[in-house]
Amino acid sequence: MQSDSDLAIRIENLWIRYRTTVEAAPTLKSTIIGLGRKETRKRQIRIVEAVQGFNLDIHNGSVIGVIGANGAGKSTLLRAIAGILPPTEGRITVNGRVSTLLALGVGFNGMLSGRENIVLGCLAAGLTREQIAQRYEVITEFADLGDFIDMPMRTYSSGMYSRLAFSVSIHMDPDILLIDEALSTGDAKFKERSFAKMEELVAQARTIVIVSHALGTVRDLCTEAVWMDKGRLIERGEPGEITDAYLRFVNVAARPTALEDV
Amino acid sequence: MEHVRNTSDFVDEVHVYEPHKASLPPLGPYLKEFWRRRRFAYEMSRSTQKASNFETALGTVWVVLNPLMLALVYYVLITILSGSASSKGATGELNLLHIVVGIFTWYYAQNAMSLGAVSVTMGGKLILNQAFPRALLPFSSVISAFIMYLPSIPVFLVIYLGFYLTDSSNTIPPLSASLVLLPVYLVILTVTSFGLAMVFGTMTVYFRDTSRFLGYLLRIWLYVTPVLYLPSKLLHHGLKGEILFYGNPLGTVIGSITALWEGQWPSVTYLLVSIAWAVVSLLLGAWLFISRERDFAVRL
């Protein structure tokens, strides 16, 4: 076992719980109207236990694939590591600069051109003007959008959109990169370059956590896989074994459809 | 584990996330990160305005035209209500000038507050996917409001000069050196608006219809603020008037700004009350907002 100083992320007994209301959105009006009716209000609130007592140590330079059914708490886990969702219980320690690719084009504005959105996306991720100037050319080149880079982003196809978004977040020079299902939209050529770029990051002892339903990606790219179900860690280990176990569990034979990005 | 420093710093290499109650995160790192990312708030506000065609010529014209037309509407209303005979001639023009500058100034604060109120709920995608000091969102709204306010200064100057040069009865006072204080009062107004924007921004997360109620609240607020009339009119009503004037976070500061444009030096009392309200609004808004912002991601 490696020492603590080699840890990129340590998650100790993490619980994330949140309340959701069944009514559409909380309003002042409904609060005032519902003042006298305690019981009805209580019935409308559901407590979601997204992550339940989760423990995980992630070492520097590892590529972790998180798999599991929809609603298993995978995205919540990533958001907690990124510092977006506060833990209800437990503790997360993150050593290093985190870059996230949780949703496509965060901070992007569809009315603006790709170029302007690169600046916006980088600023949203916390870079300074100088840092953006340094990375600008590389990001544009990596996204490889040709003339579209000067067009408003609302004219982009979803694949082009995600290429630019992915290009921005991978060039943040992160110590830890968190990716949520983002690789599935690029075309084969772009996917290959993304893999190469990620392998380059891993070679520099950067850490990557990927949430994916594409089990093939997890098998090819990850050094380790984590299987989550209903907010708990079921198993962790070698990607091939874990994905097999997961497939057996969901009772799907390892047919190509389960492995590919659909 | 002991060698890991227990900080939840955005900038620092080590981040520790732990459960929180409704208390403030470490303020030092928070403010440092807020300042480091100020450019983001500016760029975000600029891009929203660009996207909504503000940077086209007509967009800018509309931003100025809207408060200008409203000033005209209120002027007509006030003239009718107060009996048209007394407002004839240059006194009427003086009233109009007061209303125009008052409405322009008021709209700065109003835009900051109403944009700030929805800044968090509209920024949902950003909040769910990126960790940053959330106070940057209402801050960005204040920047937007300020950018919209700026063109009204030259427009007002033109209107003023037009009236001043055609004024034969010398009722319109010349501009005085007191105008050098304008930036000071604008800073005070900005700080107050930012604080209030954070209050309404937080409220909107918990009560989504806040911005609807805010529409009515802002209208009443406009009427009790000396925008359509002079502060002296309120103060004539004794204690009630004084409470309405000094107890209004925007009362003295907007009263002072209109006074500056009318060639007067605002009183020191106004200045002190304005500063006090700015500090109170900022502290209250920041406390309310920052202590709850970690909860926003779950609530959106």
Side-chain angles (χ1 to χ4, degrees):
Chain A
M1 209 63 205
Q2 286 148 307
S3 70
D4 271 5
S5 59
D6 197 41
L7 277 182
I9 303 163
R10 162 164 266 179
I11 303 169
E12 295 160 278
N13 189 32
L14 178 71
W15 286 77
I16 295 178
R17 207 173 282 138
Y18 52 85
R19 294 155 24 124
T20 51
T21 45
V22 180
E23 54 178 334
T27 60
L28 203 58
K29 197 171 127 197
S30 66
T31 308
I32 292 167
I33 292 170
L35 268 181
R37 288 178 271 166
K38 268 252 166 76
E39 314 84 52
T40 42
R41 263 184 71 74
K42 254 186 202 147
R43 243 184 287 136
Q44 283 174 329
I45 291 171
R46 273 195 57 209
I47 301 213
V48 178
E49 307 246 12
V51 178
Q52 309 175 22
F54 197 88
N55 287 288
L56 187 67
D57 286 347
I58 297 175
H59 293 279
N60 281 323
S62 47
V63 184
I64 307 278
V66 184
I67 58 173
N70 294 127
K74 307 183 295 294
S75 299
T76 308
L77 181 72
L78 275 199
R79 291 202 161 88
I81 297 173
I84 295 164
L85 287 174
T88 317
E89 272 173 56
R91 179 146 102 143
I92 305 169
T93 314
V94 178
N95 293 300
R97 247 184 70 87
V98 177
S99 172
T100 53
L101 186 46
L102 299 177
L104 292 175
V106 172
F108 283 6
N109 188 329
M111 303 296 283
L112 305 182
S113 73
R115 280 186 201 284
E116 290 167 304
N117 272 306
I118 291 178
V119 176
L120 214 51
C122 288
L123 283 170
L127 293 192
T128 60
R129 295 290 285 189
E130 299 75 55
Q131 287 171 318
I132 294 170
Q134 281 167 19
R135 288 166 172 78
Y136 191 80
E137 281 307 312
V138 198
I139 294 174
T140 324
E141 214 166 282
F142 190 85
D144 191 23
L145 292 173
D147 294 337
F148 269 95
I149 197 81
D150 290 311
M151 305 262 284
M153 275 190 88
R154 65 187 153 81
T155 63
Y156 285 26
S157 71
S158 59
M160 286 155 71
Y161 198 94
S162 64
R163 270 157 72 165
L164 192 63
F166 183 78
S167 183
V168 167
S169 55
I170 207 160
H171 288 100
M172 290 295 132
D173 210 11
D175 298 314
I176 299 162
L177 182 63
L178 308 174
I179 304 174
D180 195 348
E181 316 259 10
L183 294 173
S184 43
T185 29
D187 55 25
K189 188 178 149 209
F190 185 73
K191 203 176 280 181
E192 200 154 284
R193 283 197 299 144
S194 310
F195 276 34
K197 182 72 193 172
M198 282 198 274
E199 272 160 7
E200 191 186 310
L201 285 178
V202 174
Q204 298 161 4
R206 312 295 173 95
T207 310
I208 301 179
V209 182
I210 302 175
V211 164
S212 185
H213 287 293
L215 300 181
T217 309
V218 174
R219 282 185 185 175
D220 294 345
L221 198 71
C222 299
T223 55
E224 206 179 338
V226 171
W227 170 16
M228 262 184 106
D229 192 52
K230 297 193 176 112
R232 292 173 197 279
L233 175 72
I234 303 292
E235 222 177 331
R236 71 179 289 188
E238 198 271 317
E241 284 169 26
I242 300 294
T243 47
D244 283 346
Y246 172 65
L247 285 174
R248 274 198 304 279
F249 173 77
V250 293
N251 212 358
V252 179
R255 283 190 301 249
T257 42
L259 296 174
E260 273 163 22
D261 311 326
V262 183
Chain B
M1 218 34 236
E2 259 47 61
H3 66 279
V4 177
R5 274 174 303 145
N6 191 353
T7 54
S8 59
D9 193 332
F10 285 99
V11 196
D12 216 88
E13 287 292 296
V14 183
H15 313 266
V16 176
Y17 305 111
E18 284 181 318
H20 71 280
K21 296 273 175 302
S23 64
L24 294 169
L27 275 184
Y30 186 93
L31 295 177
K32 209 169 112 190
E33 185 65 9
F34 181 90
W35 181 246
R36 203 175 68 80
R37 290 188 183 230
R38 64 193 184 279
R39 183 92 208 179
F40 170 54
Y42 170 71
E43 219 48 60
M44 196 162 47
S45 125
R46 219 183 55 100
S47 68
T48 343
Q49 293 193 335
K50 194 167 182 182
S52 59
N53 291 323
F54 171 63
E55 283 191 355
T56 64
L58 262 168
T60 321
V61 168
W62 181 245
V63 161
V64 180
L65 210 59
N66 183 37
L68 203 62
M69 299 303 259
L70 265 169
L72 214 64
V73 169
Y74 283 124
Y75 171 69
V76 171
L77 185 73
I78 295 278
T79 314
I80 293 171
L81 284 181
S82 64
S84 50
S86 61
S87 303
K88 269 213 178 93
T91 11
E93 283 160 10
L94 189 57
N95 279 345
L96 180 59
L97 281 179
H98 178 79
I99 292 175
V100 170
V101 75
I103 289 278
F104 276 153
T105 316
W106 166 263
Y107 256 75
Y108 172 33
Q110 166 164 344
N111 284 334
M113 286 188 282
S114 48
L115 290 174
V118 293
S119 63
V120 178
T121 41
M122 299 280 272
K125 203 177 166 203
L126 261 174
I127 286 182
L128 275 177
N129 297 301
Q130 201 74 254
F132 61 92
R134 310 303 190 203
L136 283 166
L137 294 172
F139 184 61
S140 169
S141 308
V142 175
I143 296 175
S144 297
F146 187 71
I147 295 176
M148 290 195 261
Y149 168 72
L150 275 182
S152 72
I153 294 179
V155 168
F156 179 74
L157 269 176
V158 170
I159 297 174
Y160 173 84
L161 282 177
F163 278 137
Y164 184 69
L165 294 176
T166 55
D167 173 32
S168 48
S169 53
N170 285 327
T171 31
I172 294 179
L175 294 179
S176 80
S178 62
L179 263 183
V180 297
L181 286 181
L182 185 63
V184 177
Y185 284 94
L186 282 182
V187 168
I188 297 174
L189 183 62
T190 305
V191 172
T192 314
S193 308
F194 180 39
L196 295 169
M198 284 193 282
V199 172
F200 295 126
T202 313
M203 271 185 75
T204 311
V205 176
Y206 295 92
F207 308 106
R208 290 303 156 83
D209 50 352
T210 301
S211 55
R212 281 205 200 179
F213 285 89
L214 195 61
Y216 301 107
L217 177 72
L218 284 171
R219 182 148 309 177
I220 296 172
W221 202 337
L222 165 66
Y223 297 153
V224 297
T225 306
V227 168
L228 306 178
Y229 46 86
L230 293 170
S232 53
K233 202 156 198 169
L234 257 185
L235 295 172
H236 280 156
H237 290 283
L239 187 63
K240 222 196 257 169
E242 273 177 36
I243 292 174
L244 270 181
F245 182 57
Y246 294 113
N248 174 358
L250 298 168
T252 48
V253 63
I254 289 185
S256 303
I257 289 175
T258 46
L260 290 175
W261 283 105
E262 283 150 16
Q264 302 158 17
W265 292 89
S267 78
V268 180
T269 322
Y270 282 21
L271 180 64
L272 293 179
V273 174
S274 303
I275 292 175
W277 269 120
V279 172
V280 169
S281 309
L282 184 69
L283 289 183
L284 176 76
W287 172 75
L288 201 66
F289 191 95
I290 298 173
S291 65
R292 283 181 177 59
E293 68 164 44
R294 283 167 295 181
D295 200 26
F296 289 172
V298 190
R299 297 264 173 183
L300 289 174

